[in-house]
């Protein structure tokens, strides 16, 4: 097979893969665990590996397919290299390499992104190809935007609920970042086509659509990134090499935006703004609001972790260890588990240390340098034709600035990563091709061996097949079986679910921690169920002992997994072992109120009242503002007969948690404190009249104290407020009249 034939086969393969990458944003796989994330990541890997293998053959045979040198290339290679070292030296190398189904990140993804960049800069070397590639991205963004419009109209469900659009990304923040980046890509093409009126209006219309969808995501970081990016474009244009009229127009628009921002700020408390959900989110940005405060706390935790491992950090995807070790009790009212600091600077400090952050910032610095380097020659009076005009410089810098600003409050996914890498590759090619920068390797070996093409092709296929199995097909089987296991559980097929979980562990290390947690949670449910056979229960116990227990013993710092394991142990009746687990977890995460409170409650059940109350008090002392731990301490005090102290504990907080904590209801009923039971139930129904169980319980309490008339009256009122309750209420009323009520 001659070289030309090989080139004619492989080049279209590479182009097909690259032009397919933008379409992964549309892919949602219902058969995979985390369908909005996992499928996109796996398809990206598949396309990149096929393109890389095809490119590698061409690069071996012909120097023209080899990349040119640039600061961007070296900075990306350095960043990935540092992440490799951080993975090896990190706290959990397996998790750092593979990541999990929810994020599809980790070193394996960065290696694929590096490969994607190398293929792009080696094959896409003409302006025409890049314009087609950008137009493909723009076309896809239009399709995503229309999906968002259907969500807005109610035709499609918003994955996260509420009104913030998330389209095919399943996350409003991800969609906001995607539309932000797509907006600036469209702006770049608009600049190129400005002289063509038809294309000008098309691109302008697309930008309006993208900005509208971005606005409907209500992602404040993306919205501010868009505004800031627009200011950058206008500032650079007003200072650039343009005629006076262009500069004048730029200054006018700049003044309009600044005045609009000022007017918005002055009117931020008006009903016009406060009644609009998105505008109110922008207007209510404050350093003192709950979201901002939680970010500051997490960033502080990240900084403490960085100080412990300043050079190479903890390794990619290991923020969960930071969250556990440096947990701050002030985060009690946030999500229970964070795996990101929600700030790209701190994420890189934790993942790769100071060296990692420096390498990441160097990527931006090298890109900015290549965009602006011609201006420095201009100042030196050198007569050159710049690679980018001022408009293009402004747009590219706005893309980088807006993207970076967005990531100060959220984090990347494979869609934003691939767009970012695409832009970096474009900047690299534009500069290096114009300046004819040296290739990485110029040696031409194609004529030395007539069979070299066939040898290269076979060798690459030999490497490609196991790589595809390891990084694509095997993880796909794992993700599909986790999803299948959960589906089978929902359908009551626990035996099938057990088999699916067993297969997951044999397929891939991707999401190993997540799979263990899912298995433990399901095993605990199975053990607590009366409808599951002993054979299936024993099967779950055997699988946990085989796969999960050795992992927990080998990785003793897995706080989340071990907390779920505690519940599993309690289902097995191993209370003493559960207490020992919680005591160890308390040393790993000493300020985690959840751990201390659980330990207190289990000690109470075990009869260790003194130890239980001491732990409950310790938990409250870490953050007395946490109503849940105060409620637990109050319940424990009640349980040992110290009602006056319990009231003092509950006094500083709302009694809503105590009202909705069924342990109080059960306790007072057992103590025959029916007056308090009635008071609790009436308060529950005042806030939620649709709570049919509380209506039934209230009627039964009145029946218990001998007041049949009031019991029947309660049921009549319940039927008036809940029409669907009639049949059930009538049965209860009949039982009350006949004194045939069974009270548990």
């Amino acid at each position: 097979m001659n070289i030309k034939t090989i080139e004619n086969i492989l080049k279209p393969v590479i182009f097909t893969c690259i032009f397919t990458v933008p379409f992964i944003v549309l892919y949602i796989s219902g058969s995979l665990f985390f369908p909005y994330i996992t499928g996109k990541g796996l398809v990206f890997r598949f396309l990149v590996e096929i393109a890389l293998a095809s490119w590698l053959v061409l690069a071996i045979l012909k120097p023209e397919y080899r990349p040119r040198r640039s600061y961007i290339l070296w900075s990306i290679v350095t960043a990935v290299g540092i992440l490799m070292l951080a993975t090896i030296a990190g706290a959990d190398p397996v998790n750092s390499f593979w990541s999990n189904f929810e994020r599809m990140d980790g070193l394996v993804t960065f290696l694929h992104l590096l490969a994607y960049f190398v293929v792009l800069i080696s094959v896409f070397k003409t302006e025409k190809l890049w314009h087609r590639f950008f137009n493909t991205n723009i076309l896809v963004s239009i399709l995503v935007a229309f999906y968002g419009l259907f969500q807005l109209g109610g035709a499609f469900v918003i994955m996260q609920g509420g009104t913030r659009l998330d389209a095919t990304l399943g996350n409003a923040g991800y969609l906001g970042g995607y539309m932000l980046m797509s907006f600036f890509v469209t702006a770049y093409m608009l600049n190129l086509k400005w002289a063509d009126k038809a294309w000008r209006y098309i691109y302008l219309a697309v930008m309006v659509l993208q900005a509208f969808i971005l606005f409907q995501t209500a992602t404040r970081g993306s919205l501010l990134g868009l505004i800031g990016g627009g200011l950058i474009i206008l500032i650079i244009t007003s200072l650039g090499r343009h005629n006076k009229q262009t500069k004048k127009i730029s200054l006018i628009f700049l003044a309009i935006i600044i005045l609009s921002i000022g007017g918005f700020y002055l009117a931020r408390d008006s009903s016009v703004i406060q009644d609009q959900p998105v505008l109110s989110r922008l207007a209510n940005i404050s350093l003192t609001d709950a979201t901002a405060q939680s970010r500051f706390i997490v960033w502080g935790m990240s900084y403490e972790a960085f100080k412990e491992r300043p050079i190479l950090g903890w390794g990619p995807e290991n923020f969960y260890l930071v969250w556990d070790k440096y947990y701050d009790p002030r985060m009690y009212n946030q999500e229970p588990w964070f795996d990101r600091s929600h700030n790209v600077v701190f994420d890189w400090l934790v993942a790769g240390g100071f060296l990692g952050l420096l390498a990441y910032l160097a990527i931006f610095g090298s890109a900015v340098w290549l965009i602006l380097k011609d201006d420095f020659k201009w100042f030196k009076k050198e007569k050159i034709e710049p690679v980018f005009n001022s408009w293009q410089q402004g747009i590219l810098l706005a893309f980088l600035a807006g993207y970076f600003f967005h990531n100060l409050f959220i984090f990347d996914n494979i869609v934003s990563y691939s767009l970012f890498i695409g832009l970096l590759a474009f900047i690299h090619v534009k500069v290096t091709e114009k300046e004819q920068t040296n290739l990485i390797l110029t040696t031409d070996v194609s004529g030395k061996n007539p069979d070299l093409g066939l040898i290269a092709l076979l060798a690459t296929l030999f490497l490609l097949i196991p790589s595809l199995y390891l990084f694509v097909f095997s993880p796909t089987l794992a993700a599909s079986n986790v999803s299948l296991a959960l589906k089978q559980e929902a359908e009551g097929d626990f035996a099938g679910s057990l088999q699916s979980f067993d297969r997951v562990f044999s397929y891939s290390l991707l999401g190993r921690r997540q799979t263990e947690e899912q298995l433990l949670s399901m095993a605990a449910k199975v053990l607590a169920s009366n409808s599951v056979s002993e054979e299936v229960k024993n099967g779950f116990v055997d699988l946990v002992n085989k796969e999960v227990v050795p992992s927990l013993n080998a990785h003793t710092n897995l706080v989340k997994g071990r907390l779920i394991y505690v519940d599993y142990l309690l289902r097995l009746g191993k209370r003493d072992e559960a207490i020992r687990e919680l005591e160890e977890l308390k040393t790993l995460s000493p300020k985690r109120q959840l751990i201390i409170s659980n330990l207190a409650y289990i000690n109470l059940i075990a009869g260790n009242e003194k130890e239980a109350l001491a732990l409950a008090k310790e938990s409250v002392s870490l953050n007395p503002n946490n109503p849940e731990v105060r409620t637990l301490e109050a319940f424990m005090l009640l349980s040992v007969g110290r009602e006056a102290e319990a009231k003092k504990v509950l006094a500083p907080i709302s009694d809503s948690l105590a009202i909705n904590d069924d342990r109080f209801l059960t306790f007072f009923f057992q103590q025959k404190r029916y007056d308090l039971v009635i008071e609790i139930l009436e308060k529950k129904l005042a806030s939620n009249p649709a709570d049919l169980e509380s209506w039934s319980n209230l009627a039964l309490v009145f029946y218990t104290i001998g007041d049949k008339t009031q019991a029947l009256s309660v049921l009549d009122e319940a039927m008036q407020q809940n029409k669907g309750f009639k049949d059930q209420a009538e049965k209860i009323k009949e039982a009350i009249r006949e004194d045939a009520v069974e009270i548990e």
Side-chain angles (χ1 to χ4, degrees):
M1 185 180 295
N2 61 50
I3 294 175
K4 189 64 178 176
T5 302
I6 293 175
E7 182 180 16
N8 289 338
I9 294 172
L10 296 183
K11 195 172 179 181
V13 171
I14 297 171
F15 284 171
T16 300
C17 290
I18 291 177
F19 276 99
T20 304
V21 166
F23 288 92
I24 65 172
V25 68
L26 299 173
Y27 181 53
I28 304 170
S29 175
S31 63
L32 298 179
F33 194 39
F34 286 98
Y36 287 85
I37 303 296
T38 310
K40 292 178 175 64
L42 292 171
V43 171
F44 177 77
R45 292 181 192 179
F46 175 79
L47 294 171
V48 168
E49 292 195 19
I50 297 295
L52 178 67
S54 303
W55 164 79
L56 191 57
V57 174
L58 296 181
I60 292 172
L61 300 177
K62 304 184 75 172
E64 66 196 70
Y65 287 102
R66 297 168 194 169
R68 297 186 183 276
R69 304 173 185 179
S70 80
Y71 291 125
I72 293 181
L73 173 60
W74 298 134
S75 61
I76 293 176
V77 170
T78 301
V80 175
I82 289 172
L83 286 181
M84 291 179 68
L85 295 175
T87 296
I88 295 169
D92 189 348
V94 171
N95 203 57
S96 290
F97 186 85
W98 287 103
S99 184
N100 58 38
F101 301 109
E102 184 178 6
R103 303 301 179 201
M104 290 298 293
D105 212 315
L107 181 61
V108 64
T109 293
F110 282 100
L111 290 171
H112 282 80
L113 289 167
L114 173 60
Y116 182 53
F117 178 80
V118 170
V119 173
L120 278 174
I121 64 175
S122 304
V123 178
F124 273 31
K125 294 187 175 183
T126 67
E127 195 94 16
K128 188 176 181 180
L129 275 173
W130 278 106
H131 293 171
R132 288 178 177 174
F133 183 66
F134 285 157
N135 280 328
T136 302
N137 277 278
I138 293 168
L139 171 63
V140 175
S141 76
I142 295 172
L143 298 177
V144 174
F146 272 100
Y147 191 102
L149 290 177
F150 280 114
Q151 284 185 323
L152 196 62
F156 295 155
V157 176
I158 297 176
M159 173 62 181
Q160 291 183 307
T163 59
R164 298 179 61 192
L165 302 186
D166 51 23
T168 58
L169 287 101
N171 182 294
Y174 288 169
L175 179 60
Y178 174 71
M179 283 299 162
L180 171 71
M181 300 166 84
S182 299
F183 179 89
F184 289 121
V185 170
T186 310
Y188 189 89
M189 292 304 299
L190 170 64
N191 174 257
L192 296 178
K193 296 287 188 178
W194 187 255
D196 187 322
K197 286 187 177 181
W199 279 107
R200 182 197 309 177
Y201 295 133
I202 290 173
Y203 286 125
L204 281 172
V206 172
M207 290 172 67
V208 170
L209 176 62
Q210 291 165 337
F212 176 75
I213 296 297
L214 169 55
F215 181 80
Q216 293 298 327
T217 68
T219 306
R220 290 178 289 193
S222 301
L223 288 166
L224 293 175
L226 181 65
I227 295 169
L231 291 173
I232 288 173
I233 295 172
L234 294 172
I235 290 171
I236 291 179
T237 305
S238 63
L239 297 175
R241 302 181 294 272
H242 287 288
N243 57 49
K244 290 183 178 180
Q245 184 179 3
T246 302
K247 291 185 176 184
K248 184 178 179 180
I249 294 173
S250 298
L251 288 171
I252 291 172
F253 276 103
L254 185 62
I256 291 172
I257 292 178
I258 293 173
L259 290 173
S260 298
I261 294 172
F264 178 82
Y265 178 78
L266 293 174
R268 66 189 184 280
D269 295 325
S270 67
S271 59
V272 174
I273 290 176
Q274 291 298 325
D275 292 344
Q276 212 290 329
V278 181
L279 292 179
S280 65
R281 274 180 61 84
L282 279 175
N284 295 326
I285 292 176
S286 169
L287 296 179
T288 60
D289 69 26
T291 302
Q293 287 298 307
S294 67
R295 292 288 192 269
F296 293 146
I297 294 169
V298 175
W299 298 346
M301 293 161 57
S302 302
Y303 181 66
E304 291 300 317
F306 159 68
K307 289 193 297 184
E308 182 178 341
R309 290 172 171 255
I311 308 302
L312 287 172
W314 295 65
E317 296 301 284
N318 288 339
F319 185 82
Y320 74 96
L321 297 172
V322 172
W323 174 255
D324 293 330
K325 184 171 184 178
Y326 293 99
Y327 179 80
D328 191 313
R330 290 176 294 173
M331 295 294 291
Y332 74 89
N333 58 352
Q334 300 295 316
E335 295 177 35
W337 306 103
F338 272 50
D339 63 356
R340 296 287 190 278
S341 67
H342 291 259
N343 179 289
V344 69
V345 172
F346 286 109
D347 277 333
W348 273 85
L349 281 176
V350 171
F354 175 74
L355 292 179
L357 176 62
L358 197 63
Y360 178 72
L361 295 177
I363 296 174
F364 284 86
S366 58
V368 171
W369 166 251
L370 292 185
I371 292 169
L372 297 177
K373 63 184 294 188
D374 286 341
D375 285 338
F376 292 95
K377 295 177 181 178
W378 183 272
F379 292 141
K380 293 179 181 180
K381 307 299 183 183
E382 296 181 29
K383 294 183 178 180
I384 59 164
E385 182 66 30
V387 176
F388 304 107
N389 62 39
S390 294
W391 274 106
Q392 292 167 348
Q393 286 179 331
I395 293 167
L396 294 174
L397 292 175
F399 180 107
L400 295 173
Y403 169 69
F404 186 83
F405 188 83
H406 165 84
N407 276 352
L408 290 177
F409 306 98
I410 200 166
F411 41 84
D412 274 299
N413 60 90
I414 196 61
V415 173
S416 59
Y417 275 138
S418 61
L419 265 172
F420 179 50
I421 289 295
L423 186 88
L424 293 175
F426 170 67
I427 296 169
H428 166 99
V429 170
K430 280 282 287 185
V431 174
T432 57
E433 287 298 314
K434 179 180 181 296
E435 298 178 352
Q436 288 297 294
T437 308
N438 291 335
L439 297 173
I440 296 294
L441 185 65
T442 57
T443 305
D444 188 352
V445 295
S446 58
K448 296 182 180 180
N449 186 342
D451 297 322
L452 183 61
L454 182 59
I455 294 171
L457 186 61
L458 293 174
T460 305
L461 284 173
F462 180 77
L463 295 173
L464 175 64
I465 293 172
S467 179
L468 283 174
Y469 178 79
L470 184 63
F471 298 123
V472 181
F473 298 133
S474 182
T476 300
L477 291 171
S480 63
N481 274 277
V482 173
S483 179
L484 178 60
L486 297 177
K487 180 182 178 182
Q488 289 168 323
E489 180 219 6
E491 295 171 348
D493 182 10
F494 292 101
S497 181
L498 176 62
Q499 293 175 353
S500 297
F501 268 120
D502 196 16
R503 288 193 295 269
V504 174
F505 291 106
S506 65
Y507 285 136
S508 176
L509 290 172
L510 171 65
R512 170 83 192 202
R513 306 283 177 262
Q514 266 183 328
T515 305
E516 292 172 0
E517 292 163 7
Q518 292 292 331
L519 173 59
L520 277 173
S521 296
M522 191 176 296
K525 293 178 185 177
V526 166
L527 291 171
S529 174
N530 295 323
S531 60
V532 180
S533 69
E534 288 300 317
E535 181 183 359
V536 172
K537 289 182 179 180
N538 292 334
F540 271 96
V541 172
D542 291 341
L543 186 58
V544 168
N545 289 336
K546 174 187 172 185
E547 298 291 351
V548 181
V549 174
S551 178
L552 293 178
N553 291 336
H555 303 90
T556 56
N557 53 3
L558 300 176
V559 172
K560 183 180 180 182
R562 291 179 67 183
L563 261 178
I564 302 173
Y565 184 55
V566 166
D567 184 42
Y568 168 79
L569 289 172
L570 291 173
R571 301 294 183 184
L572 285 175
K574 298 182 178 181
R575 184 188 297 158
D576 292 340
E577 194 173 335
I579 290 175
R580 286 195 296 271
E581 278 287 325
L582 285 169
E583 287 172 344
E584 289 182 22
L585 289 175
K586 186 172 178 286
T587 64
L588 289 174
S589 190
K591 295 183 179 181
R592 187 80 186 212
Q593 290 173 291
L594 174 65
I595 294 172
I596 301 172
S597 293
N598 282 346
L599 184 56
Y601 188 64
I602 296 174
N603 268 285
L604 179 69
I605 295 173
N608 306 324
E609 292 181 2
K610 186 176 180 180
E611 178 71 14
L613 289 171
L615 287 165
K617 191 172 293 292
E618 179 186 350
S619 181
V620 171
S621 68
L622 289 171
N623 187 355
N625 294 321
N626 185 342
E628 291 184 7
V629 297
R630 294 190 76 97
T631 302
L632 177 61
E633 184 187 8
F635 174 75
M636 293 172 69
L637 287 166
L638 276 175
S639 300
V640 297
R642 294 157 65 173
E643 186 173 334
E645 292 179 62
K647 289 180 178 179
K648 288 181 180 179
V649 172
L650 286 175
I653 64 172
S654 167
D655 61 356
S656 60
L657 277 170
I659 290 169
N660 291 307
D661 190 330
D662 287 339
R663 288 177 299 190
F664 285 88
L665 198 64
T666 303
F667 175 80
F668 288 130
F669 188 85
Q670 291 172 346
Q671 297 294 314
K672 298 184 179 181
R673 297 289 302 276
Y674 300 123
D675 57 329
L676 294 177
V677 173
I678 292 170
E679 182 182 345
I680 290 173
L681 288 171
E682 286 178 342
K683 287 183 177 180
K684 289 182 73 171
L685 289 169
S687 61
N688 182 18
D691 184 355
L692 302 182
E693 184 179 358
S694 291
W695 283 112
S696 300
N697 288 336
L698 183 58
L700 294 176
V701 172
F702 281 114
Y703 172 80
T704 302
I705 63 177
D707 192 344
K708 288 186 179 182
T709 303
Q710 187 61 34
L712 295 172
S713 176
V714 165
L715 292 170
D716 288 336
E717 185 180 353
M719 285 190 291
Q720 288 178 4
Q721 298 203 37
N722 302 277
K723 302 301 182 184
F725 186 50
K726 182 177 180 181
D727 292 341
Q728 183 181 344
E730 289 292 351
K731 290 180 181 179
I732 299 174
K733 288 172 69 175
E734 183 178 352
I736 289 174
R737 293 190 187 101
E738 297 177 359
D739 284 326
V741 179
E742 295 183 6
I743 301 175
E744 298 180 0

